[in-house]
Amino acid sequence: CKKYRDINTNPNNPEIVDIKLLLPSAEAGIAQQVGGKFQVIGGMWSQYWTQSPVASQYRVVDQYQIAGSDVNNGWNGLYADALMDLQKIVELSGSQKNYAAIAKILQGYTFQVLTDQFGDIPFSEALKGESANITSPHYDKQEDVYKGIIALVQEGMNELDPNSPAPGTDDLIYGGDLSEWQRFGNTLLLKMYMRLSVKSPAMAEAGVDSLYASGIGFLEEGETAQITYGTAAGSYNPLYSEMNNAVINQTQNLIASATLTDSMNANEDERLTAFYTAGSGGYVGNDQGDISTETDASSFAIPGPAVGGNAVNLASATAPVLFISDYESLLLQAEAAARGWGDGDAAELFGRAISANFDAYGLDATDYLANARWAQYPAAGTMEEQIEFIITQKWFCMCGNEGLEAWTEWRRTGYPGFFVISKSSRIGNNFPQRFPYPDEEVTNNANFPGQKSITDKVWWDVN
Amino acid sequence: QSRPVKGQVLDDRGEGIPGASVQIKGSNAGTITDIDGNFSLEVPDDDEVLVISAIGYANQEINAGDGDNVLSVKLKTSSTALNETIVTANAVRREKRSLGYSTAQVSGNDLTAGGSVSPLNALAGKVAGMNVTTTSGAPGSSSRVVLRGGSSVLGNNQALIVVDGVPVNNAGLGTAGNIGNLSNQVDYGNRGNDINPDDIESISVLKGPAATALYGSSGANGALMITTKKGNRRMGGASKMDVEVNTGVAFSSILKYPDFQNSYGQGNIYEGAYPEDRRENFSWGYKFDNEQRPWGQVINGKTRVKPYSAIPDNISDFFNTGTTYNNSVAINGGTETSAFRLGFNALNSNSIFPGKDYNKYGVTFNGNVDLSNRFYASVNFDYSKINSDLPAFGQGNASILDNLYQMPRDIPIRELRNLNDPFNSMDYVDTNGVHRYGYYGAYALNPYYTLDSFKNTNKVDRLFGNVTVGFKITPWLKLEDRLATDVYSDRRYQKNPIFNSEPADETGLYTRPQSNPGRYSEDLINSYNIYNDLMLSINKQLNKDFYLTGYVGQNITQQSVTETYASTNEDGGLVVPGYYNLTNSNGPAFDVNSESTKRKVRVYTDLSLGYKNMLFLGVTGAKDWVSTVKNSITYGGINGSFVFSELFDDKTKNIWNYGKLRVSYARVGNDANPYLWTTTYGRTTLNGDFGSLIFPFNDVPGFSYGDVIGNPNIKPEYSTEFEIGTENSFFNDRVSFDFSYYNKNSGDQIIPVALAASSGFKNKTLNAGLITNHGVELAARFTPIRTRSGFKWEIFGTYAKNVNLVKELETNNLSIGNAINGATIVATVGKPYGTFYTDGYLRDDAGHVVVDATTGLPLIDKSGSKFFGSYMPKWQASWGTTLSYKGFTLYMLFDTKQGGQFFSRTRDILAFVGTSKETEDRDPQVWANSVYEGTDGAYHTNTDIKYNPYFFYTGQANRPGEYQLVDASYVKMREARLSYTLPRKWMDKTPFGSATVSVYGNNLFIWTPSSNQFTDPELSSNGAGNGQGFEFSAMPSQRNYGFNLKFTF
């Protein structure tokens, strides 16, 4: 009788799998959210894009009133899919130390994405629902999360071991190149310390100095950490797949924002042709949040296939999702140099970053470097002017492909200085400063500390 | 030595009663009457008395006589079951008087009175405490049967369906494209409706755990014990065979249309550049002026012209009158030691949706034989086959209603029918080879195109039945084994066309292309169930006063389901138009398969001790070992019945004929689903808000750790129920009633408790939660007139009130239904099961709606979602009447549910496009009983700040989810029938035995509160699932009426 009943082993799902299967799932899982819905919100709040007046899918984003329900999928995907799979890699890696190392570095990257948008988040008690039966993790202060992430990434970098087996094609980002992972970790830490440059300058400076002292170096040209996508349905770039599915059915919700197109046009910036597909009016954007003109939506430029944003162009499917780009790395180094940290040459790094960005889109930066106003690095200017140039140029570079980071850097530095309040703003003359916590976390976490207003700044944001 | 005794059993109209039991008192020997009520029986010389019994009639004892005369026995109808027998658990027939728990019985005749082709729908309004919800009443549609309110948070809440002692799977299965998938919603039905009502002898309704403790984990929600019609044994001289033919045709139409406005037509005069926009699905245009105006696109220099005026019937013009042909033939034959019934049924239905159809064919066979004096055997099986093409509902291109209901009030639907006409086409190729659409609307599809090109076919083959062999050890002890199976294959195919069409228009107004990626999917479900019961039964008069009846038994159950679902790539769709095959997938095809098996072993007993046919004590007990929980489950109950009228003197008994008091208590377990013990990995699928990424990704495979934490310590759910009730009848059965009070606690609910995703998981399966139900049930019957001439007038009714409460739940607001449009159906502590949870209007302390001080529009309470009503009715009742005279019978049944709410997307979409009646008053107006916030921060009564209805109705963000909640109360004329049985003497000269002609109808009329101008509140987008009360552009319910001829020869 006992044996007759002993059939409750799940025949449909395995109870154990190789960690080689978890790494690509986790990497693509991060990209799915950062390059998908978060890219939409980031792209609109960094004023690259605005909602098309003839559709309405993302109107709430332009209205600055996204709800907790708008970020459920992003939060759940990062925690329950990506971070948890990375956690299983750490648990199961055994002698495969490089898997655990990469997993920790990627966990650090992911936790930073979460804390930058949400502020205080579960960190020290996170991901322990099964292992320690913690089903309602407590929230850690952002300051502690930052310290924790830095320690975690350093731990991962220390565990990278060229003498142990490395991943292969299952590492979608670097194909198992451990030295690139070292530089990715170092650049990630640079990005983190730079985020603290205003809030905790002493800590930031000491941290940056140690990164330079390690001799590991940072991501160089051609070392962008990214995942590339395919034209087969189910392998689409996440932004493109948000538009190209049976529900949304190729509706073009995103169009160019005049904030970006006006300033790029003023600089005769050729990158417009890569970041956008021209409308009947050329590379012209609509005013941010303006839904009053219904007649001529087709006159506006729309995000181009290179950033995955053109709903009817299949080339959008193959746009990559960037984790950290080479030009981002160069601009972080430039900023460090401008602040007098590390030992780089800010002007040189600034120029290299622009060239790298043009290169990434198959364009030639020569004319732009020679003529454009925002390409003329104020080597003789004040540090603040230099930082304004570096961050504003970063904003141009990240157009459409790292919207979340561009908006986050705007929150840190206030640059570009020419953002406008969305015409659809429902919060008056204010900008959004964070994401609201997701509904499901509010409902399901017994230790949830309380919802925040969208205008509350996160801890490091003292600008 | 014995003598042959012949006779006929008649009802009070003098018609023969078929299937009546004729038994020799004090023995098991007996027979059953044939179709005309005739019987013949060898009666041993020592035996004198025959006991005659039939469902719905009082038992009668007669002297068998010496065999020289043909006996004639008239049975009196009995409503209170003075001596009625009831089919109880394990198909064991018991005297109702001995049962200490509430039961009800519906005879086959009552079941088929309204002509419903669904045996479950036909129960509506017939049993107190039974809540039958029909999705549409169309043949093959789902039905949900809940007794005494919901008791399981996420598990099954429906009554167990048992046919001839064998459980029949009534679960709604399926992956996608099944009902519940809101953008692609097809009601493939649930399998409890596969039985042909004409094959049913009776349905016993066992309402609580006390009655069904023997089914343990399956019977916690009560049971419907269906007994199928059997062949009748015949003694020498009786005709060996007769044939019963039942033929009829029914017509169907929509029971309740939304109320439409007829003042304004296509366009939008409020914003935008084209007030007379010909592309629009909006009816927010100018007031009708009856002027000739062009409409639709300009193609080859031509355009169509029509008067700008309302077409009041332009929605109903779309539908056909549905027709259903229902034909059954049953052959009934027997000898002295064997009998059989062989039935055939064909149900052919053409839907109210033009071109859609549903066809069901069935064969049933019941046979029984005495192999010797001691051995006997029987076999029952039922095979059914379904072929159908069903309409889809919900949202999006595949939904017919979604496209139809957006049509402006002045569009002539009938002119859209010819799809070869470029003006109606969604996809034609012009002379330059470009695919174009010429249909007038740029935002919706031609509903005829949806009908024509979106196919949802379903093929079902099902076989269920059992083989029984028995051995009579002694006259009072028998051993019986019943081996049963229920096997079915349910195949669902969906075909959606691919098109990418540019507008044909030459004016430049139309710029928007219309497209659909196309789709093909197969959902193949196979269910295999095996049951074996070995039972030892006892029926013994222990001494003068005590009588013992009951059984001990052992059961083995295996239930398996396999499912293979495959579809072309959901986002990429099809490559080659018109080619529906998985190889035609644009991008990787999606496929998933699963198998699920549960095994149980059970030992059980059910014993009843009677004292002087007056006092009865029943005990049930069982122990289950189930593969899905680690420990065994023990359950059982005790019940007592006291027929106190046995103590009355004859004088009292003449007035108060029958009185019984009953009380019971029982506890049952409800086991767990398979495979909850471990956390597992699965192939990685990464979901964004809409799109998804599916591994293998760029040829790299990926697996991901599951989101549900496994729990090896899962315990079974339990329910305990206490019940007390009474049955009474007075004045020769002319007044009778049956009353029950019950109190049921259902605890240790198996729930996937939602976790904070920051824990790394989304759910953990736990035993958490307690639901309570208590309530009263009353069934009554009154016969004001009964004359010797045969005129009879009966009135009957039921009332039930159930109070349901979720007492404990280790999680917040557990969603039990779809969360869409911001509304969820939840279980939450302190509220009834099935409470709506959504955002509402901002209100002041006195409950007045707060409006915006500038726009006059009502404000939405931003503090978050709130609880509204439950979908469960506060109370329900039914009442009916039967008038009979000679061969004529007129029968009517009404029922009502009061209280409860439903969520109507129909209301939402009609308001948005401006076609509903409520949008007709378009003058700026003051929101009734509203206040506004003054500059002083206080609320002031609003008398003059007017809102523009256009902005309220078209601005979906201006309307909270509360707007879509509608009072679900209704009164329905559920059934009616007028029948005439031709007098026997007319038939004598014909080959026919009897003939009855009837006109009948079901779901005939509905009355709803004036606030419900939208749909029948019974509609459900979740089929028979727990998420009731959710009408997401659901299939409309149908009125069915027809005529029918039944005759024998």
Side-chain angles (χ1 to χ4, degrees):
Chain A
C1 174
K2 177 83 178 70
K3 200 174 173 193
Y4 174 76
R5 290 188 297 123
D6 200 9
I7 55 159
N8 209 34
T9 303
N10 193 328
N12 305 309
N13 293 91
E15 288 178 18
I16 187 79
V17 299
D18 195 304
I19 57 175
K20 281 180 166 36
L21 297 167
L22 299 176
L23 182 62
S25 300
E27 290 178 345
I30 299 166
Q32 191 70 18
Q33 309 310 334
V34 173
K37 184 65 175 288
F38 283 9
Q39 182 84 290
V40 171
I41 300 172
M44 294 177 78
W45 286 355
S46 53
Q47 311 208 354
Y48 300 137
W49 304 329
T50 186
Q51 169 66 48
S52 167
V54 296
S56 61
Q57 192 67 40
Y58 303 123
R59 198 160 282 179
V60 293
V61 183
D62 264 342
Q63 289 170 336
Y64 300 155
Q65 58 172 7
I66 62 168
S69 56
D70 290 309
V71 289
N72 277 333
N73 283 337
W75 175 281
N76 292 350
L78 292 179
Y79 268 111
D81 292 343
L83 285 169
M84 192 62 221
D85 283 341
L86 295 169
Q87 190 70 18
K88 289 309 280 187
I89 292 175
V90 173
E91 282 175 26
L92 301 172
S93 56
S95 62
Q96 294 174 285
K97 288 195 291 189
N98 287 318
Y99 276 92
I102 293 169
K104 286 174 184 173
I105 295 168
L106 282 170
Q107 281 194 331
Y109 177 86
T110 309
F111 277 121
Q112 193 196 4
V113 169
L114 285 162
T115 188
D116 281 350
Q117 322 318 320
F118 294 99
D120 299 349
I121 55 165
F123 177 78
S124 54
E125 290 187 354
L127 312 177
K128 293 179 177 167
E130 187 171 38
S131 58
N133 205 23
I134 299 174
T135 52
S136 284
H138 283 94
Y139 279 58
D140 294 292
K141 290 191 185 320
Q142 188 175 47
E143 182 175 4
D144 298 329
V145 175
Y146 256 73
K147 287 176 184 161
I149 295 172
I150 290 167
L152 184 65
V153 173
Q154 279 167 344
E155 191 181 315
M157 289 169 67
N158 293 338
E159 282 175 20
L160 284 170
D161 178 2
N163 299 317
S164 277
T169 53
D170 51 320
D171 172 10
L172 301 173
I173 298 173
Y174 284 132
D177 185 325
L178 300 179
S179 63
E180 287 194 309
W181 276 113
Q182 279 285 9
R183 288 194 288 281
F184 177 87
N186 222 34
T187 312
L188 173 59
L189 292 173
L190 179 62
K191 184 173 107 174
M192 297 200 63
Y193 286 128
M194 213 51 76
R195 203 82 93 217
L196 306 180
S197 60
V198 190
K199 178 73 187 179
S200 307
M203 177 187 170
E205 181 175 1
V208 170
D209 286 343
S210 72
L211 299 179
Y212 277 87
S214 71
I216 291 167
F218 304 97
L219 293 174
E220 300 292 314
E221 281 92 338
E223 293 186 334
T224 295
Q226 62 180 14
I227 290 179
T228 53
Y229 290 84
T231 52
S235 302
Y236 291 161
N237 167 286
L239 178 63
Y240 182 68
S241 84
E242 285 295 295
M243 309 181 275
N244 206 291
N245 55 65
V247 182
I248 300 297
N249 223 339
Q250 302 188 327
T251 301
Q252 185 71 42
N253 276 285
L254 299 171
I255 62 171
S257 164
T259 311
L260 184 287
T261 53
D262 287 356
S263 57
M264 274 205 176
N265 279 319
N267 276 268
E268 296 184 347
D269 193 331
E270 202 190 347
R271 285 174 291 184
L272 271 175
T273 62
F275 297 149
Y276 295 93
T277 301
S280 61
Y283 290 100
V284 174
N286 196 11
D287 286 347
Q288 191 74 38
D290 183 1
I291 54 166
S292 65
T293 52
E294 186 165 336
T295 49
D296 236 3
S298 60
S299 70
F300 299 116
I302 60 171
V307 299
N310 185 330
V312 295
N313 188 335
L314 186 62
S316 295
T318 60
V321 170
L322 312 188
F323 286 62
I324 299 179
S325 54
D326 51 4
Y327 42 88
E328 181 183 3
S329 169
L330 293 164
L331 288 168
L332 287 165
Q333 295 171 58
E335 184 183 347
R339 292 184 185 276
W341 304 341
D343 52 13
D345 176 339
E348 184 242 336
L349 288 160
F350 180 80
R352 279 172 60 196
I354 293 172
S355 297
N357 186 240
F358 274 72
D359 280 355
Y361 294 94
L363 302 170
D364 181 354
T366 315
D367 287 350
Y368 180 83
L369 285 169
N371 303 317
R373 180 200 159 205
W374 285 108
Q376 311 311 313
Y377 182 75
T382 64
M383 184 180 90
E384 196 55 38
E385 283 167 358
Q386 292 170 348
I387 288 172
E388 181 181 11
F389 265 73
I390 291 167
I391 303 298
T392 305
Q393 187 55 246
K394 188 187 274 190
W395 177 68
F396 288 125
C397 290
M398 288 182 166
C399 180
N401 55 49
E402 283 185 85
L404 202 60
E405 180 64 16
W407 171 62
T408 305
E409 289 289 75
W410 168 82
R411 285 186 287 158
R412 172 171 72 97
T413 63
Y415 300 124
F418 44 81
F419 276 15
V420 296
I421 298 285
S422 163
K423 291 198 166 167
S424 307
S425 167
R426 292 282 176 90
I427 56 172
N429 199 27
N430 295 296
F431 287 108
Q433 304 288 352
R434 65 155 70 225
F435 288 0
Y437 286 110
D439 277 359
E440 290 177 12
E441 188 73 14
V442 176
T443 312
N444 299 328
N445 192 331
N447 295 313
F448 179 71
Q451 185 57 282
K452 294 281 189 180
S453 160
I454 205 162
T455 53
D456 288 350
K457 295 185 171 188
V458 299
W459 162 78
W460 52 249
D461 186 357
V462 291
N463 174 48
Chain B
Q1 287 292 20
S2 67
R3 61 196 192 275
V5 175
K6 287 185 183 181
Q8 191 181 21
V9 180
L10 303 168
D11 65 15
D12 48 13
R13 302 195 306 257
E15 303 293 337
I17 300 174
S21 151
V22 180
Q23 238 178 343
I24 297 161
K25 191 172 182 183
S27 93
N28 278 332
T31 184
I32 290 173
T33 57
D34 70 8
I35 197 85
D36 297 319
N38 296 314
F39 69 89
S40 108
L41 185 68
E42 286 292 320
V43 181
D45 285 346
D46 311 347
D47 290 309
E48 286 297 320
V49 181
L50 299 180
V51 182
I52 321 288
S53 59
I55 291 165
Y57 298 91
N59 286 6
Q60 197 165 331
E61 295 186 5
I62 57 159
N63 192 302
D66 55 14
D68 290 346
N69 300 323
V70 174
L71 302 172
S72 177
V73 191
K74 266 201 173 181
L75 294 188
K76 279 186 185 169
T77 52
S78 159
S79 45
T80 51
L82 207 62
N83 295 296
E84 194 183 332
T85 59
I86 286 270
V87 177
T88 65
N90 277 327
V92 174
R93 193 175 279 278
R94 297 266 303 272
E95 277 189 69
K96 188 172 179 182
R97 62 159 53 209
S98 72
L99 301 177
Y101 46 80
S102 176
T103 56
Q105 184 147 293
V106 179
S107 73
N109 281 341
D110 288 345
L111 198 69
T112 51
S116 174
V117 296
S118 150
L120 303 181
N121 293 354
L123 288 168
K126 288 176 183 155
V127 177
M130 171 187 277
N131 191 350
V132 180
T133 319
T134 63
T135 50
S136 69
S141 59
S142 298
S143 318
R144 174 178 167 94
V145 179
V146 173
L147 296 163
R148 296 180 168 172
S151 61
S152 180
V153 174
L154 291 178
N156 176 45
N157 279 308
Q158 289 201 69
L160 177 69
I161 297 175
V162 180
V163 178
D164 294 330
V166 181
V168 165
N169 195 335
N170 188 38
L173 300 169
T175 297
N178 55 332
I179 196 156
N181 178 345
L182 294 177
S183 60
N184 184 15
Q185 202 182 80
V186 181
D187 183 2
Y188 288 104
N190 50 354
R191 302 267 67 89
N193 278 325
D194 288 347
I195 305 151
N196 175 12
D198 281 328
D199 291 331
I200 294 175
E201 172 80 31
S202 69
I203 299 182
S204 304
V205 180
L206 311 181
K207 293 181 191 168
T212 57
L214 291 178
Y215 290 106
S217 43
S218 316
N221 302 302
L224 308 180
M225 310 295 301
I226 298 179
T227 306
T228 60
K229 287 178 180 166
K230 308 290 191 298
N232 304 326
R233 296 205 178 172
R234 290 151 165 95
M235 297 300 139
S239 78
K240 292 294 182 204
M241 204 161 83
D242 56 63
V243 177
E244 184 182 324
V245 177
N246 195 344
T247 180
V249 59
F251 305 97
S252 305
S253 57
I254 290 180
L255 177 63
K256 180 177 169 67
Y257 285 102
D259 294 351
F260 292 103
Q261 60 89 4
N262 285 311
S263 299
Y264 300 92
Q266 189 181 29
N268 183 358
I269 59 173
Y270 296 89
E271 52 183 2
Y274 303 106
E276 297 169 48
D277 196 336
R278 300 188 213 163
R279 302 168 296 181
E280 271 295 355
N281 51 353
F282 265 21
S283 291
W284 292 98
Y286 292 118
K287 209 169 172 75
F288 286 126
D289 56 13
N290 299 324
E291 298 290 326
Q292 293 287 324
R293 273 200 211 171
W295 64 289
Q297 306 196 26
V298 177
I299 305 174
N300 297 328
K302 289 186 204 142
T303 184
R304 293 199 271 195
V305 175
K306 63 164 183 58
Y308 184 63
S309 51
I311 303 173
D313 293 333
N314 75 339
I315 300 295
S316 57
D317 282 348
F318 175 78
F319 294 99
N320 282 351
T321 297
T323 51
T324 300
Y325 301 92
N326 194 359
N327 293 293
S328 301
V329 178
I331 301 162
N332 191 325
T335 67
E336 286 154 14
T337 56
S338 69
F340 74 94
R341 181 177 183 277
L342 177 62
F344 301 92
N345 173 252
L347 177 75
N348 303 97
S349 169
N350 295 310
S351 170
I352 56 171
F353 289 89
K356 302 291 174 187
D357 61 7
Y358 176 89
N359 298 288
K360 188 174 88 169
Y361 304 93
V363 181
T364 62
F365 179 82
N366 292 290
N368 60 75
V369 61
D370 288 343
L371 299 168
S372 72
N373 281 340
R374 292 189 152 191
F375 274 110
Y376 59 92
S378 68
V379 56
N380 303 310
F381 77 78
D382 183 319
Y383 168 74
S384 54
K385 180 174 192 63
I386 295 168
N387 280 315
S388 60
D389 177 17
L390 301 164
F393 299 90
Q395 193 173 15
N397 283 344
S399 168
I400 296 167
L401 281 192
D402 201 34
N403 288 296
L404 180 66
Y405 279 180
Q406 297 190 31
M407 192 172 56
R409 298 298 297 146
D410 53 314
I411 298 294
I413 182 79
R414 292 205 158 144
E415 292 187 29
L416 304 174
R417 183 170 290 193
N418 179 2
L419 296 172
N420 294 322
D421 181 341
F423 284 108
N424 298 334
S425 176
M426 293 310 304
D427 184 9
Y428 74 93
V429 182
D430 71 9
T431 48
N432 298 320
V434 179
H435 286 260
R436 298 196 181 277
Y437 71 96
Y439 182 62
Y440 80 90
Y443 310 103
L445 304 190
N446 185 336
Y448 289 108
Y449 178 79
T450 303
L451 268 184
D452 191 59
S453 302
F454 289 70
K455 300 286 184 194
N456 305 288
T457 49
N458 185 211
K459 295 176 193 300
V460 177
D461 290 273
R462 182 177 204 175
L463 179 71
F464 67 85
N466 67 76
V467 177
T468 304
V469 290
F471 177 66
K472 291 171 186 159
I473 299 164
T474 69
W476 50 269
L477 194 65
K478 72 177 179 186
L479 186 66
E480 198 172 89
D481 189 84
R482 183 172 60 223
L483 177 62
T485 189
D486 176 9
V487 178
Y488 69 82
S489 153
D490 179 345
R491 290 100 67 199
R492 304 167 181 185
Y493 306 90
Q494 290 195 301
K495 299 174 180 176
N496 293 355
I498 174 175
F499 60 90
N500 281 295
S501 305
E502 295 293 326
D505 190 59
E506 291 154 7
T507 64
L509 174 63
Y510 286 77
T511 51
R512 189 176 188 273
Q514 291 229 49
S515 67
N516 195 59
R519 179 164 187 274
Y520 174 71
S521 73
E522 297 186 352
D523 195 359
L524 311 177
I525 301 159
N526 286 288
S527 172
Y528 313 90
N529 304 286
I530 299 169
Y531 309 89
N532 190 71
D533 278 280
L534 180 64
M535 283 166 46
L536 183 67
S537 317
I538 185 168
N539 263 303
K540 183 151 176 64
Q541 192 81 41
L542 298 176
N543 60 30
K544 193 162 82 46
D545 292 334
F546 287 96
Y547 188 82
L548 178 69
T549 180
Y551 50 85
V552 294
Q554 190 261 356
N555 169 281
I556 297 173
T557 294
Q558 172 171 311
Q559 294 165 311
S560 294
V561 181
T562 66
E563 182 181 0
T564 304
Y565 173 79
S567 74
T568 54
N569 193 287
E570 291 288 347
D571 296 333
L574 301 174
V575 181
V576 180
Y579 172 46
Y580 295 103
N581 190 284
L582 294 168
T583 59
N584 193 26
S585 178
N586 180 21
F590 175 78
D591 47 63
V592 60
N593 66 301
S594 66
E595 63 171 287
S596 165
T597 302
K598 187 192 278 191
R599 284 180 180 160
K600 301 183 206 187
V601 176
R602 179 161 81 241
V603 293
Y604 54 85
T605 183
D606 182 354
L607 293 169
S608 170
L609 184 66
Y611 172 71
K612 289 188 168 172
N613 212 21
M614 176 177 80
L615 209 52
F616 300 87
L617 177 68
V619 179
T620 58
K623 199 170 180 75
D624 261 9
W625 292 264
V626 186
S627 62
T628 58
V629 289
K630 294 211 161 145
N631 295 322
S632 62
I633 316 166
T634 307
Y635 42 86
I638 185 161
N639 65 78
S641 164
F642 174 34
V643 184
F644 55 83
S645 53
E646 292 290 314
L647 301 175
F648 294 165
D649 58 24
D650 284 352
K651 207 171 133 197
T652 314
K653 232 177 187 168
N654 274 338
I655 299 164
W656 191 345
N657 316 128
Y658 178 65
K660 168 180 149 182
L661 198 64
R662 52 172 202 257
V663 59
S664 71
Y665 175 83
R667 178 185 169 102
V668 303
N670 193 0
D671 63 39
N673 287 332
Y675 320 133
L676 299 176
W677 292 352
T678 50
T679 316
T680 57
Y681 293 85
R683 187 206 22 200
T684 306
T685 299
L686 300 167
N687 293 317
D689 279 12
F690 296 100
S692 43
L693 187 141
I694 300 163
F695 275 75
F697 169 49
N698 293 345
D699 298 330
V700 176
F703 269 66
S704 186
Y705 201 48
D707 290 334
V708 183
I709 302 177
N711 183 352
N713 302 314
I714 213 79
K715 290 183 294 185
E717 298 181 359
Y718 72 84
S719 281
T720 61
E721 184 171 52
F722 169 77
E723 179 191 302
I724 185 163
T726 181
E727 295 155 30
N728 292 276
S729 73
F730 307 86
F731 312 113
N732 289 325
D733 262 5
R734 285 173 72 153
V735 177
S736 63
F737 73 89
D738 183 331
F739 173 84
S740 309
Y741 166 82
Y742 58 89
N743 190 341
K744 182 175 177 184
N745 293 327
S746 308
D748 278 344
Q749 302 270 341
I750 299 171
I751 298 168
V753 171
L755 305 182
S758 48
S759 69
F761 301 87
K762 292 183 191 161
N763 296 103
K764 179 170 186 174
T765 308
L766 289 177
N767 287 104
L770 175 66
I771 291 185
T772 63
N773 283 281
H774 64 268
V776 293
E777 293 161 353
L778 178 67
R781 192 171 279 269
F782 174 41
T783 310
I785 301 174
R786 188 162 68 197
T787 69
R788 283 178 196 285
S789 64
F791 180 70
K792 187 170 151 190
W793 177 29
E794 265 192 304
I795 303 170
F796 43 87
T798 67
Y799 169 84
K801 180 176 175 61
N802 180 62
V803 180
N804 173 291
L805 193 66
V806 178
K807 267 261 173 65
E808 297 164 12
L809 202 62
E810 247 183 59
T811 187
N812 292 300
N813 304 345
L814 191 64
S815 172
I816 56 172
N818 302 84
I820 197 153
N821 286 21
T824 317
I825 306 164
V826 299
T828 195
V829 173
K831 301 277 176 191
Y833 184 70
T835 290
F836 289 98
Y837 184 64
T838 187
D839 57 356
Y841 297 109
L842 183 66
R843 293 173 199 274
D844 68 5
D845 292 342
H848 302 114
V849 170
V850 181
V851 301
D852 186 284
T854 315
T855 65
L857 287 166
L859 295 172
I860 295 172
D861 188 341
K862 290 285 180 194
S863 65
S865 291
K866 293 196 286 277
F867 298 105
F868 292 90
S870 162
Y871 66 66
M872 288 200 283
K874 291 205 162 38
W875 57 271
Q876 51 181 330
S878 67
W879 59 98
T881 187
T882 307
L883 288 159
S884 51
Y885 180 67
K886 308 255 174 177
F888 286 97
T889 306
L890 175 67
Y891 156 84
M892 281 182 287
L893 177 69
F894 296 82
D895 78 329
T896 182
K897 290 178 191 168
Q898 292 292 321
Q901 291 181 307
F902 75 107
F903 185 87
S904 176
R905 179 177 188 265
T906 297
R907 180 177 195 180
D908 174 58
I909 189 72
L910 296 183
F912 178 69
V913 298
T915 56
S916 52
K917 186 82 181 166
E918 65 175 347
T919 67
E920 193 153 36
D921 181 359
R922 297 182 176 186
D923 296 329
Q925 51 199 274
V926 172
W927 191 270
N929 299 318
S930 63
V931 296
Y932 65 94
E933 186 177 351
T935 47
D936 55 358
Y939 290 130
H940 303 277
T941 303
N942 176 23
T943 54
D944 56 353
I945 309 170
K946 293 178 173 176
Y947 74 99
N948 182 339
Y950 168 82
F951 290 106
F952 178 71
Y953 289 116
T954 64
Q956 275 153 319
N958 292 330
R959 296 193 256 110
E962 180 184 355
Y963 167 79
Q964 284 174 253
L965 293 174
V966 179
D967 185 343
S969 302
Y970 71 82
V971 176
K972 272 189 179 183
M973 184 172 187
R974 182 64 69 176
E975 294 185 337
R977 183 181 201 96
L978 174 64
S979 64
Y980 178 59
T981 302
L982 275 61
R984 171 152 240 96
K985 58 186 180 228
W986 294 9
M987 309 307 294
D988 284 348
K989 297 186 181 69
T990 70
F992 300 106
S994 70
T996 303
V997 290
S998 315
V999 290
Y1000 64 84
N1002 58 67
N1003 218 23
L1004 283 166
F1005 297 100
I1006 184 168
W1007 294 268
T1008 56
S1010 58
S1011 58
N1012 179 4
Q1013 305 172 352
F1014 312 102
T1015 68
D1016 181 343
E1018 285 202 290
L1019 302 189
S1020 167
S1021 290
N1022 287 319
N1026 286 337
Q1028 292 288 299
F1030 210 79
E1031 179 274 303
F1032 199 78
S1033 296
M1035 170 120 179
S1037 63
Q1038 294 184 185
R1039 164 191 292 129
N1040 305 304
Y1041 49 95
F1043 49 85
N1044 163 283
L1045 173 64
K1046 191 186 251 184
F1047 58 93
T1048 63
F1049 58 87

